Amino acid sequence: MDLLTTGLVVLAIVAAAALAWFVFVRRTSDVARDITVPTGLGGRLSRSRDTLAKALAGAFASGPLDAAVWESLEEALIGADVGVAASTRIVERVRSAGPASVEEARRLLRAGVREALGDRSREVAGAGSPCVVLVVGANGTGKTTSIAKLAHVFERGGSSTLLGAADTFRAAAGAQIRTWADRVGVDVVGGQEGADPASVAFDAIQAARARGKDYLIIDTAGRLHSKQNLMAELAKIRRVLEREAGVVGEVLLVLDATAGQNGIAQAREFFATAGVTGIVLTKLDGTARGGIVVAVEEELGIPVKFIGVGEGLADLIPFDPDQFVDALLEGS
Ligand code: GDP
């Protein structure tokens, strides 16, 4: 390579890097900038928090920090849906540090729960133009509501969004997503009941491109005649999106936090085909036990990116482990 060619190659690399920075970093930070966490996350998690606080108070009430305390502590965490493996590990960490007082043990416990959540990236990818967000999950988990809430997050952050209604199996799905889209103020591209979902995805991406949208969120069926059909359909939608968009920015799996371990088992079914990149954990405000966040990440190895804490449009918030652990263990 002569000097001129080398110079041109370097210039092209620098230009590509600058463009990538502009498209990805600027877009994600735009979104992040305007996401405000509802005040009083602790209030939303109050049922989880109170149950856990009571169990922990019970565990620590027995006096000296002995084997009985560690056992009750482990039971309290398992009872909060933290999962057996993580609960055992967290308690072992507290015990082996040899806390001299209950206060110290509580501090270590908090640190242990926080550590269990790790430091994975929880940002929404901005890759692709438009950035395609494929949303999968079983019916009833809160998929439709979460899609609307997510569109609201993007729009509020200044990113234009289009919805693709590719659940053509359930008669009401299209109408339901349109009602939500009207509330958010975004358009929907859909198809007739029974239409090929992959062709709806194809139409949606063409429309998103033609209209210069930043994000395209695609809804998918949560149930078909058989599980094999459902997985084959998801794989086909994914193939079409990859072919048309080059890359699928995010595949978000919606999980109902109140389903506990059953939800985790159900999630595994989606993994192999859908290539899940993040979890949306819904209904944490209800009767769910907050520790499920730890179990989900531990057992699925995928970051929780958003949590649902209510039925309103603003009730989907980016998952922040520090804030969450503080809210969950408030008063513990
Ligand atoms: P889909 O069948 O998975 O599309 O589920 P929907 O989006 O229709 O939601 C099912 C029900 O769960 C609806 O009544 C929603 O209002 C409710 N829901 C969804 N997310 C949340 C949440 O974060 N908190 C609460 N309390 N309810 C939720």
Side-chain angles (χ1 to χ4, degrees):
M1 240 193 291
D2 63 21
L3 210 58
L4 182 66
T5 323
T6 313
L8 284 174
V9 168
V10 170
L11 205 66
I13 292 171
V14 171
L19 184 69
W21 177 88
F22 182 76
V23 172
F24 302 151
V25 179
R26 196 195 59 89
R27 182 185 292 164
T28 37
S29 57
D30 268 358
V31 171
R33 191 190 58 217
D34 202 58
I35 296 175
T36 41
V37 176
T39 46
L41 179 61
R44 304 295 181 92
L45 301 176
S46 62
R47 285 214 235 173
S48 265
R49 185 198 59 204
D50 295 350
T51 315
L52 184 57
K54 205 182 285 173
L56 293 181
F60 284 125
S62 58
L65 296 172
D66 57 13
V69 169
W70 306 131
E71 205 172 302
S72 321
L73 198 57
E74 198 172 313
E75 277 166 22
L77 292 180
I78 293 170
D81 265 351
V82 168
V84 176
S87 300
T88 310
R89 206 181 56 239
I90 293 168
V91 172
E92 180 50 27
R93 192 194 131 133
V94 178
R95 191 197 61 77
S96 62
S101 65
V102 169
E103 285 63 41
E104 198 185 337
R106 284 182 184 278
R107 265 198 308 279
L108 287 163
L109 176 68
R110 186 180 285 243
V113 175
R114 174 62 190 88
E115 193 187 74
L117 287 169
D119 281 316
R120 318 156 184 262
S121 165
R122 296 167 196 283
E123 282 198 4
V124 181
S129 188
C131 172
V132 176
V133 179
L134 183 63
V135 183
V136 303
N139 285 347
T141 52
K143 192 150 50 74
T144 313
T145 326
S146 298
I147 287 171
K149 292 169 172 174
L150 192 59
H152 183 60
V153 166
F154 291 154
E155 289 276 322
R156 250 184 4 189
S159 299
S160 57
T161 306
L162 182 73
L163 304 185
D167 178 2
T168 54
F169 181 73
R170 200 162 55 97
Q176 199 189 346
I177 209 155
R178 279 176 205 282
T179 307
W180 275 105
D182 286 345
R183 284 182 205 156
V184 183
V186 294
D187 292 336
V188 180
V189 170
Q192 297 294 320
E193 188 187 336
D196 176 10
S199 76
V200 173
F202 177 86
D203 290 346
I205 197 149
Q206 303 305 327
R209 237 192 233 130
R211 300 178 204 178
K213 300 290 180 186
D214 297 316
Y215 283 94
L216 170 66
I217 310 178
I218 305 266
D219 183 25
T220 59
R223 186 181 68 83
L224 288 186
H225 295 298
S226 78
K227 210 174 287 167
Q228 285 85 345
N229 283 352
L230 178 59
M231 296 307 154
E233 182 175 296
L234 287 179
K236 189 173 167 198
I237 293 173
R238 208 192 141 91
R239 271 199 308 277
V240 167
L241 291 172
E242 263 164 3
R243 194 187 64 213
E244 295 306 310
V247 59
V248 173
E250 287 277 353
V251 181
L252 296 179
L253 172 72
V254 182
L255 270 187
D256 177 345
T258 59
Q261 288 289 329
N262 289 339
I264 295 181
Q266 194 183 58
R268 291 188 200 283
E269 294 170 3
F270 283 91
F271 270 54
T273 5
V276 177
T277 56
I279 309 281
V280 177
L281 197 59
T282 61
K283 309 186 195 177
L284 266 170
D285 54 309
T287 52
R289 290 171 283 183
I292 191 71
V293 179
V294 178
V296 161
E297 291 211 341
E298 173 104 3
E299 290 174 40
L300 298 177
I302 302 277
V304 171
K305 294 202 168 174
F306 288 92
I307 55 174
V309 291
E311 294 184 87
L313 264 186
D315 293 331
L316 184 77
I317 54 180
F319 180 63
D320 177 329
D322 291 318
Q323 231 162 20
F324 183 79
V325 171
D326 282 350
L328 188 65
L329 293 173
E330 206 177 286
S332 286

PDB file of all heavy atoms in Angstrom, residues 137-147 149 167 170 176 180 219 254 256 281-286 307-312 315-316, ligand 1:
ATOM      1  N   GLY A 137     -42.224 -13.069  24.197  1.00  0.00           N
ATOM      2  CA  GLY A 137     -42.666 -13.467  25.533  1.00  0.00           C
ATOM      3  C   GLY A 137     -44.054 -14.062  25.474  1.00  0.00           C
ATOM      4  O   GLY A 137     -44.789 -13.860  24.506  1.00  0.00           O
ATOM      5  N   ALA A 138     -44.405 -14.799  26.521  1.00  0.00           N
ATOM      6  CA  ALA A 138     -45.701 -15.479  26.564  1.00  0.00           C
ATOM      7  C   ALA A 138     -46.837 -14.472  26.737  1.00  0.00           C
ATOM      8  O   ALA A 138     -46.616 -13.368  27.242  1.00  0.00           O
ATOM      9  CB  ALA A 138     -45.702 -16.488  27.711  1.00  0.00           C
ATOM     10  N   ASN A 139     -48.031 -14.876  26.339  1.00  0.00           N
ATOM     11  CA  ASN A 139     -49.197 -14.007  26.520  1.00  0.00           C
ATOM     12  C   ASN A 139     -49.466 -13.756  28.001  1.00  0.00           C
ATOM     13  O   ASN A 139     -49.260 -14.634  28.824  1.00  0.00           O
ATOM     14  CB  ASN A 139     -50.452 -14.662  25.921  1.00  0.00           C
ATOM     15  CG  ASN A 139     -50.436 -14.598  24.413  1.00  0.00           C
ATOM     16  OD1 ASN A 139     -49.635 -13.879  23.826  1.00  0.00           O
ATOM     17  ND2 ASN A 139     -51.315 -15.355  23.785  1.00  0.00           N
ATOM     18  N   GLY A 140     -49.921 -12.539  28.280  1.00  0.00           N
ATOM     19  CA  GLY A 140     -50.305 -12.220  29.654  1.00  0.00           C
ATOM     20  C   GLY A 140     -49.161 -11.695  30.507  1.00  0.00           C
ATOM     21  O   GLY A 140     -49.361 -11.259  31.633  1.00  0.00           O
ATOM     22  N   THR A 141     -47.940 -11.727  29.954  1.00  0.00           N
ATOM     23  CA  THR A 141     -46.789 -11.273  30.750  1.00  0.00           C
ATOM     24  C   THR A 141     -46.726  -9.740  30.823  1.00  0.00           C
ATOM     25  O   THR A 141     -46.042  -9.188  31.676  1.00  0.00           O
ATOM     26  CB  THR A 141     -45.452 -11.770  30.141  1.00  0.00           C
ATOM     27  OG1 THR A 141     -45.444 -11.410  28.754  1.00  0.00           O
ATOM     28  CG2 THR A 141     -45.299 -13.265  30.286  1.00  0.00           C
ATOM     29  N   GLY A 142     -47.439  -9.078  29.906  1.00  0.00           N
ATOM     30  CA  GLY A 142     -47.389  -7.609  29.879  1.00  0.00           C
ATOM     31  C   GLY A 142     -46.644  -7.119  28.649  1.00  0.00           C
ATOM     32  O   GLY A 142     -46.135  -5.997  28.615  1.00  0.00           O
ATOM     33  N   LYS A 143     -46.601  -7.963  27.619  1.00  0.00           N
ATOM     34  CA  LYS A 143     -45.826  -7.644  26.402  1.00  0.00           C
ATOM     35  C   LYS A 143     -46.369  -6.395  25.706  1.00  0.00           C
ATOM     36  O   LYS A 143     -45.609  -5.462  25.423  1.00  0.00           O
ATOM     37  CB  LYS A 143     -45.871  -8.859  25.470  1.00  0.00           C
ATOM     38  CG  LYS A 143     -44.911  -8.826  24.329  1.00  0.00           C
ATOM     39  CD  LYS A 143     -44.479 -10.220  23.909  1.00  0.00           C
ATOM     40  CE  LYS A 143     -45.640 -11.159  23.704  1.00  0.00           C
ATOM     41  NZ  LYS A 143     -46.379 -10.892  22.469  1.00  0.00           N
ATOM     42  N   THR A 144     -47.684  -6.376  25.450  1.00  0.00           N
ATOM     43  CA  THR A 144     -48.264  -5.235  24.730  1.00  0.00           C
ATOM     44  C   THR A 144     -48.054  -3.936  25.505  1.00  0.00           C
ATOM     45  O   THR A 144     -47.608  -2.925  24.954  1.00  0.00           O
ATOM     46  CB  THR A 144     -49.780  -5.453  24.520  1.00  0.00           C
ATOM     47  OG1 THR A 144     -49.969  -6.772  24.034  1.00  0.00           O
ATOM     48  CG2 THR A 144     -50.345  -4.441  23.557  1.00  0.00           C
ATOM     49  N   THR A 145     -48.373  -3.997  26.786  1.00  0.00           N
ATOM     50  CA  THR A 145     -48.225  -2.805  27.626  1.00  0.00           C
ATOM     51  C   THR A 145     -46.766  -2.340  27.631  1.00  0.00           C
ATOM     52  O   THR A 145     -46.492  -1.140  27.540  1.00  0.00           O
ATOM     53  CB  THR A 145     -48.655  -3.136  29.077  1.00  0.00           C
ATOM     54  OG1 THR A 145     -49.717  -4.070  29.040  1.00  0.00           O
ATOM     55  CG2 THR A 145     -49.064  -1.919  29.828  1.00  0.00           C
ATOM     56  N   SER A 146     -45.843  -3.284  27.740  1.00  0.00           N
ATOM     57  CA  SER A 146     -44.424  -2.918  27.803  1.00  0.00           C
ATOM     58  C   SER A 146     -43.950  -2.291  26.499  1.00  0.00           C
ATOM     59  O   SER A 146     -43.111  -1.384  26.503  1.00  0.00           O
ATOM     60  CB  SER A 146     -43.557  -4.137  28.132  1.00  0.00           C
ATOM     61  OG  SER A 146     -43.915  -4.642  29.393  1.00  0.00           O
ATOM     62  N   ILE A 147     -44.492  -2.778  25.372  1.00  0.00           N
ATOM     63  CA  ILE A 147     -44.113  -2.205  24.074  1.00  0.00           C
ATOM     64  C   ILE A 147     -44.539  -0.738  24.029  1.00  0.00           C
ATOM     65  O   ILE A 147     -43.772   0.136  23.609  1.00  0.00           O
ATOM     66  CB  ILE A 147     -44.751  -3.020  22.927  1.00  0.00           C
ATOM     67  CG1 ILE A 147     -44.023  -4.363  22.795  1.00  0.00           C
ATOM     68  CG2 ILE A 147     -44.725  -2.246  21.609  1.00  0.00           C
ATOM     69  CD1 ILE A 147     -44.679  -5.349  21.863  1.00  0.00           C
ATOM     70  N   LYS A 149     -45.091   1.227  26.596  1.00  0.00           N
ATOM     71  CA  LYS A 149     -44.285   1.981  27.559  1.00  0.00           C
ATOM     72  C   LYS A 149     -42.893   2.267  26.988  1.00  0.00           C
ATOM     73  O   LYS A 149     -42.335   3.348  27.179  1.00  0.00           O
ATOM     74  CB  LYS A 149     -44.130   1.191  28.857  1.00  0.00           C
ATOM     75  CG  LYS A 149     -45.404   1.025  29.670  1.00  0.00           C
ATOM     76  CD  LYS A 149     -45.136   0.000  30.767  1.00  0.00           C
ATOM     77  CE  LYS A 149     -46.246  -0.141  31.777  1.00  0.00           C
ATOM     78  NZ  LYS A 149     -45.983  -1.251  32.708  1.00  0.00           N
ATOM     79  N   ASP A 167     -48.007  -9.881  15.855  1.00  0.00           N
ATOM     80  CA  ASP A 167     -48.793 -10.961  16.456  1.00  0.00           C
ATOM     81  C   ASP A 167     -50.111 -11.003  15.702  1.00  0.00           C
ATOM     82  O   ASP A 167     -51.080 -10.341  16.067  1.00  0.00           O
ATOM     83  CB  ASP A 167     -49.028 -10.711  17.958  1.00  0.00           C
ATOM     84  CG  ASP A 167     -49.890 -11.815  18.587  1.00  0.00           C
ATOM     85  OD1 ASP A 167     -50.252 -12.761  17.849  1.00  0.00           O
ATOM     86  OD2 ASP A 167     -50.177 -11.741  19.795  1.00  0.00           O
ATOM     87  N   ARG A 170     -53.363 -13.764  17.448  1.00  0.00           N
ATOM     88  CA  ARG A 170     -54.406 -13.434  18.419  1.00  0.00           C
ATOM     89  C   ARG A 170     -55.243 -12.296  17.826  1.00  0.00           C
ATOM     90  O   ARG A 170     -54.713 -11.217  17.539  1.00  0.00           O
ATOM     91  CB  ARG A 170     -53.730 -12.985  19.730  1.00  0.00           C
ATOM     92  CG  ARG A 170     -54.610 -13.051  20.958  1.00  0.00           C
ATOM     93  CD  ARG A 170     -53.725 -13.030  22.208  1.00  0.00           C
ATOM     94  NE  ARG A 170     -52.837 -11.865  22.216  1.00  0.00           N
ATOM     95  CZ  ARG A 170     -53.105 -10.731  22.865  1.00  0.00           C
ATOM     96  NH1 ARG A 170     -54.219 -10.616  23.545  1.00  0.00           N
ATOM     97  NH2 ARG A 170     -52.250  -9.726  22.848  1.00  0.00           N
ATOM     98  N   GLN A 176     -55.420  -4.089  20.221  1.00  0.00           N
ATOM     99  CA  GLN A 176     -54.884  -3.688  21.539  1.00  0.00           C
ATOM    100  C   GLN A 176     -53.637  -2.801  21.370  1.00  0.00           C
ATOM    101  O   GLN A 176     -53.493  -1.780  22.037  1.00  0.00           O
ATOM    102  CB  GLN A 176     -54.520  -4.960  22.301  1.00  0.00           C
ATOM    103  CG  GLN A 176     -54.386  -4.750  23.792  1.00  0.00           C
ATOM    104  CD  GLN A 176     -53.806  -6.006  24.460  1.00  0.00           C
ATOM    105  OE1 GLN A 176     -53.759  -7.080  23.866  1.00  0.00           O
ATOM    106  NE2 GLN A 176     -53.352  -5.845  25.691  1.00  0.00           N
ATOM    107  N   TRP A 180     -53.013   1.352  22.384  1.00  0.00           N
ATOM    108  CA  TRP A 180     -51.863   1.862  23.142  1.00  0.00           C
ATOM    109  C   TRP A 180     -51.048   2.865  22.321  1.00  0.00           C
ATOM    110  O   TRP A 180     -50.584   3.874  22.840  1.00  0.00           O
ATOM    111  CB  TRP A 180     -50.961   0.699  23.578  1.00  0.00           C
ATOM    112  CG  TRP A 180     -51.411   0.068  24.859  1.00  0.00           C
ATOM    113  CD1 TRP A 180     -52.044  -1.128  25.014  1.00  0.00           C
ATOM    114  CD2 TRP A 180     -51.260   0.605  26.187  1.00  0.00           C
ATOM    115  NE1 TRP A 180     -52.301  -1.366  26.338  1.00  0.00           N
ATOM    116  CE2 TRP A 180     -51.825  -0.324  27.080  1.00  0.00           C
ATOM    117  CE3 TRP A 180     -50.713   1.782  26.700  1.00  0.00           C
ATOM    118  CZ2 TRP A 180     -51.854  -0.130  28.457  1.00  0.00           C
ATOM    119  CZ3 TRP A 180     -50.737   1.983  28.070  1.00  0.00           C
ATOM    120  CH2 TRP A 180     -51.298   1.035  28.930  1.00  0.00           C
ATOM    121  N   ASP A 219     -43.870  -6.338  17.857  1.00  0.00           N
ATOM    122  CA  ASP A 219     -44.586  -7.252  18.746  1.00  0.00           C
ATOM    123  C   ASP A 219     -44.662  -8.617  18.052  1.00  0.00           C
ATOM    124  O   ASP A 219     -44.751  -8.695  16.831  1.00  0.00           O
ATOM    125  CB  ASP A 219     -46.016  -6.705  18.967  1.00  0.00           C
ATOM    126  CG  ASP A 219     -46.808  -7.562  19.947  1.00  0.00           C
ATOM    127  OD1 ASP A 219     -46.190  -8.240  20.787  1.00  0.00           O
ATOM    128  OD2 ASP A 219     -48.066  -7.537  19.871  1.00  0.00           O
ATOM    129  N   VAL A 254     -40.102 -10.413  27.555  1.00  0.00           N
ATOM    130  CA  VAL A 254     -40.935  -9.888  28.639  1.00  0.00           C
ATOM    131  C   VAL A 254     -41.296 -11.031  29.578  1.00  0.00           C
ATOM    132  O   VAL A 254     -41.789 -12.077  29.151  1.00  0.00           O
ATOM    133  CB  VAL A 254     -42.215  -9.228  28.077  1.00  0.00           C
ATOM    134  CG1 VAL A 254     -43.057  -8.652  29.213  1.00  0.00           C
ATOM    135  CG2 VAL A 254     -41.857  -8.133  27.089  1.00  0.00           C
ATOM    136  N   ASP A 256     -43.062 -12.030  33.445  1.00  0.00           N
ATOM    137  CA  ASP A 256     -43.938 -11.598  34.530  1.00  0.00           C
ATOM    138  C   ASP A 256     -43.272 -11.965  35.857  1.00  0.00           C
ATOM    139  O   ASP A 256     -43.073 -13.147  36.158  1.00  0.00           O
ATOM    140  CB  ASP A 256     -45.286 -12.330  34.357  1.00  0.00           C
ATOM    141  CG  ASP A 256     -46.270 -12.041  35.461  1.00  0.00           C
ATOM    142  OD1 ASP A 256     -45.870 -11.512  36.510  1.00  0.00           O
ATOM    143  OD2 ASP A 256     -47.462 -12.350  35.261  1.00  0.00           O
ATOM    144  N   LEU A 281     -38.780  -7.069  32.999  1.00  0.00           N
ATOM    145  CA  LEU A 281     -39.441  -7.792  34.090  1.00  0.00           C
ATOM    146  C   LEU A 281     -40.630  -6.961  34.573  1.00  0.00           C
ATOM    147  O   LEU A 281     -40.451  -5.884  35.151  1.00  0.00           O
ATOM    148  CB  LEU A 281     -38.423  -8.014  35.217  1.00  0.00           C
ATOM    149  CG  LEU A 281     -38.753  -9.063  36.252  1.00  0.00           C
ATOM    150  CD1 LEU A 281     -38.938 -10.439  35.627  1.00  0.00           C
ATOM    151  CD2 LEU A 281     -37.640  -9.140  37.300  1.00  0.00           C
ATOM    152  N   THR A 282     -41.834  -7.480  34.304  1.00  0.00           N
ATOM    153  CA  THR A 282     -43.041  -6.684  34.580  1.00  0.00           C
ATOM    154  C   THR A 282     -43.666  -7.038  35.931  1.00  0.00           C
ATOM    155  O   THR A 282     -43.330  -8.049  36.532  1.00  0.00           O
ATOM    156  CB  THR A 282     -44.105  -6.943  33.495  1.00  0.00           C
ATOM    157  OG1 THR A 282     -44.431  -8.335  33.528  1.00  0.00           O
ATOM    158  CG2 THR A 282     -43.613  -6.562  32.123  1.00  0.00           C
ATOM    159  N   LYS A 283     -44.580  -6.196  36.354  1.00  0.00           N
ATOM    160  CA  LYS A 283     -45.440  -6.427  37.519  1.00  0.00           C
ATOM    161  C   LYS A 283     -44.680  -6.544  38.833  1.00  0.00           C
ATOM    162  O   LYS A 283     -45.090  -7.277  39.726  1.00  0.00           O
ATOM    163  CB  LYS A 283     -46.330  -7.651  37.282  1.00  0.00           C
ATOM    164  CG  LYS A 283     -47.076  -7.593  35.949  1.00  0.00           C
ATOM    165  CD  LYS A 283     -48.052  -8.725  35.797  1.00  0.00           C
ATOM    166  CE  LYS A 283     -48.486  -8.857  34.338  1.00  0.00           C
ATOM    167  NZ  LYS A 283     -49.370  -9.962  34.086  1.00  0.00           N
ATOM    168  N   LEU A 284     -43.551  -5.840  38.914  1.00  0.00           N
ATOM    169  CA  LEU A 284     -42.787  -5.872  40.173  1.00  0.00           C
ATOM    170  C   LEU A 284     -43.488  -5.093  41.277  1.00  0.00           C
ATOM    171  O   LEU A 284     -43.108  -5.177  42.435  1.00  0.00           O
ATOM    172  CB  LEU A 284     -41.380  -5.311  39.943  1.00  0.00           C
ATOM    173  CG  LEU A 284     -40.330  -6.369  39.628  1.00  0.00           C
ATOM    174  CD1 LEU A 284     -39.040  -5.723  39.172  1.00  0.00           C
ATOM    175  CD2 LEU A 284     -40.073  -7.284  40.813  1.00  0.00           C
ATOM    176  N   ASP A 285     -44.489  -4.317  40.884  1.00  0.00           N
ATOM    177  CA  ASP A 285     -45.216  -3.527  41.881  1.00  0.00           C
ATOM    178  C   ASP A 285     -46.267  -4.357  42.606  1.00  0.00           C
ATOM    179  O   ASP A 285     -46.794  -3.947  43.621  1.00  0.00           O
ATOM    180  CB  ASP A 285     -45.927  -2.352  41.189  1.00  0.00           C
ATOM    181  CG  ASP A 285     -46.813  -2.826  40.032  1.00  0.00           C
ATOM    182  OD1 ASP A 285     -46.303  -3.580  39.189  1.00  0.00           O
ATOM    183  OD2 ASP A 285     -47.991  -2.448  39.990  1.00  0.00           O
ATOM    184  N   GLY A 286     -46.589  -5.500  42.044  1.00  0.00           N
ATOM    185  CA  GLY A 286     -47.696  -6.271  42.605  1.00  0.00           C
ATOM    186  C   GLY A 286     -47.258  -7.222  43.698  1.00  0.00           C
ATOM    187  O   GLY A 286     -46.481  -6.865  44.580  1.00  0.00           O
ATOM    188  N   ILE A 307     -37.742  -2.567  34.163  1.00  0.00           N
ATOM    189  CA  ILE A 307     -38.718  -3.189  35.058  1.00  0.00           C
ATOM    190  C   ILE A 307     -40.052  -2.456  34.933  1.00  0.00           C
ATOM    191  O   ILE A 307     -40.099  -1.233  34.756  1.00  0.00           O
ATOM    192  CB  ILE A 307     -38.246  -3.220  36.530  1.00  0.00           C
ATOM    193  CG1 ILE A 307     -37.861  -1.830  37.049  1.00  0.00           C
ATOM    194  CG2 ILE A 307     -37.084  -4.177  36.708  1.00  0.00           C
ATOM    195  CD1 ILE A 307     -37.534  -1.795  38.536  1.00  0.00           C
ATOM    196  N   GLY A 308     -41.120  -3.228  35.033  1.00  0.00           N
ATOM    197  CA  GLY A 308     -42.469  -2.664  34.996  1.00  0.00           C
ATOM    198  C   GLY A 308     -42.962  -2.541  36.426  1.00  0.00           C
ATOM    199  O   GLY A 308     -42.932  -3.508  37.185  1.00  0.00           O
ATOM    200  N   VAL A 309     -43.378  -1.336  36.785  1.00  0.00           N
ATOM    201  CA  VAL A 309     -43.804  -1.121  38.176  1.00  0.00           C
ATOM    202  C   VAL A 309     -45.212  -0.525  38.245  1.00  0.00           C
ATOM    203  O   VAL A 309     -45.550   0.190  39.183  1.00  0.00           O
ATOM    204  CB  VAL A 309     -42.800  -0.235  38.954  1.00  0.00           C
ATOM    205  CG1 VAL A 309     -41.493  -0.954  39.174  1.00  0.00           C
ATOM    206  CG2 VAL A 309     -42.561   1.092  38.230  1.00  0.00           C
ATOM    207  N   GLY A 310     -46.031  -0.798  37.243  1.00  0.00           N
ATOM    208  CA  GLY A 310     -47.398  -0.285  37.264  1.00  0.00           C
ATOM    209  C   GLY A 310     -48.016  -0.393  35.883  1.00  0.00           C
ATOM    210  O   GLY A 310     -47.351  -0.812  34.921  1.00  0.00           O
ATOM    211  N   GLU A 311     -49.282   0.002  35.795  1.00  0.00           N
ATOM    212  CA  GLU A 311     -50.001  -0.173  34.542  1.00  0.00           C
ATOM    213  C   GLU A 311     -50.006   1.059  33.647  1.00  0.00           C
ATOM    214  O   GLU A 311     -50.497   1.028  32.528  1.00  0.00           O
ATOM    215  CB  GLU A 311     -51.434  -0.609  34.836  1.00  0.00           C
ATOM    216  CG  GLU A 311     -51.480  -1.991  35.481  1.00  0.00           C
ATOM    217  CD  GLU A 311     -52.894  -2.484  35.698  1.00  0.00           C
ATOM    218  OE1 GLU A 311     -53.443  -3.090  34.759  1.00  0.00           O
ATOM    219  OE2 GLU A 311     -53.440  -2.245  36.786  1.00  0.00           O
ATOM    220  N   GLY A 312     -49.453   2.163  34.152  1.00  0.00           N
ATOM    221  CA  GLY A 312     -49.452   3.404  33.373  1.00  0.00           C
ATOM    222  C   GLY A 312     -48.304   3.449  32.378  1.00  0.00           C
ATOM    223  O   GLY A 312     -47.335   2.677  32.475  1.00  0.00           O
ATOM    224  N   ASP A 315     -44.745   3.767  33.654  1.00  0.00           N
ATOM    225  CA  ASP A 315     -44.333   2.792  34.666  1.00  0.00           C
ATOM    226  C   ASP A 315     -43.358   1.733  34.162  1.00  0.00           C
ATOM    227  O   ASP A 315     -43.341   0.602  34.659  1.00  0.00           O
ATOM    228  CB  ASP A 315     -45.570   2.117  35.275  1.00  0.00           C
ATOM    229  CG  ASP A 315     -46.394   3.101  36.079  1.00  0.00           C
ATOM    230  OD1 ASP A 315     -45.807   4.062  36.615  1.00  0.00           O
ATOM    231  OD2 ASP A 315     -47.619   2.923  36.166  1.00  0.00           O
ATOM    232  N   LEU A 316     -42.569   2.091  33.163  1.00  0.00           N
ATOM    233  CA  LEU A 316     -41.485   1.195  32.742  1.00  0.00           C
ATOM    234  C   LEU A 316     -40.205   1.973  32.971  1.00  0.00           C
ATOM    235  O   LEU A 316     -40.028   3.056  32.414  1.00  0.00           O
ATOM    236  CB  LEU A 316     -41.613   0.842  31.255  1.00  0.00           C
ATOM    237  CG  LEU A 316     -40.589  -0.169  30.762  1.00  0.00           C
ATOM    238  CD1 LEU A 316     -40.966  -1.576  31.196  1.00  0.00           C
ATOM    239  CD2 LEU A 316     -40.474  -0.130  29.244  1.00  0.00           C
TER     240      LEU A 316
HETATM  241  P1  GDP B   1     -49.696  -9.427  26.935  1.00  0.00           P
HETATM  242  O1  GDP B   1     -50.757 -10.470  26.788  1.00  0.00           O
HETATM  243  O2  GDP B   1     -48.388 -10.061  27.300  1.00  0.00           O
HETATM  244  O3  GDP B   1     -49.596  -8.501  25.793  1.00  0.00           O
HETATM  245  O4  GDP B   1     -50.086  -8.598  28.258  1.00  0.00           O
HETATM  246  P2  GDP B   1     -50.706  -7.144  28.442  1.00  0.00           P
HETATM  247  O5  GDP B   1     -49.747  -6.101  28.021  1.00  0.00           O
HETATM  248  O6  GDP B   1     -52.058  -7.122  27.828  1.00  0.00           O
HETATM  249  O7  GDP B   1     -50.798  -7.081  30.025  1.00  0.00           O
HETATM  250  C1  GDP B   1     -51.535  -8.016  30.780  1.00  0.00           C
HETATM  251  C2  GDP B   1     -52.000  -7.333  32.067  1.00  0.00           C
HETATM  252  O8  GDP B   1     -50.871  -7.044  32.888  1.00  0.00           O
HETATM  253  C3  GDP B   1     -52.706  -6.008  31.836  1.00  0.00           C
HETATM  254  O9  GDP B   1     -53.790  -5.913  32.719  1.00  0.00           O
HETATM  255  C4  GDP B   1     -51.649  -4.973  32.177  1.00  0.00           C
HETATM  256  O10 GDP B   1     -52.184  -3.754  32.627  1.00  0.00           O
HETATM  257  C5  GDP B   1     -50.890  -5.679  33.281  1.00  0.00           C
HETATM  258  N1  GDP B   1     -49.513  -5.201  33.438  1.00  0.00           N
HETATM  259  C6  GDP B   1     -48.539  -5.146  32.509  1.00  0.00           C
HETATM  260  N2  GDP B   1     -47.389  -4.656  33.051  1.00  0.00           N
HETATM  261  C7  GDP B   1     -47.658  -4.403  34.366  1.00  0.00           C
HETATM  262  C8  GDP B   1     -46.869  -3.902  35.461  1.00  0.00           C
HETATM  263  O11 GDP B   1     -45.681  -3.581  35.370  1.00  0.00           O
HETATM  264  N3  GDP B   1     -47.520  -3.784  36.668  1.00  0.00           N
HETATM  265  C9  GDP B   1     -48.823  -4.141  36.830  1.00  0.00           C
HETATM  266  N4  GDP B   1     -49.357  -3.994  38.042  1.00  0.00           N
HETATM  267  N5  GDP B   1     -49.566  -4.628  35.830  1.00  0.00           N
HETATM  268  C10 GDP B   1     -48.995  -4.755  34.609  1.00  0.00           C
END
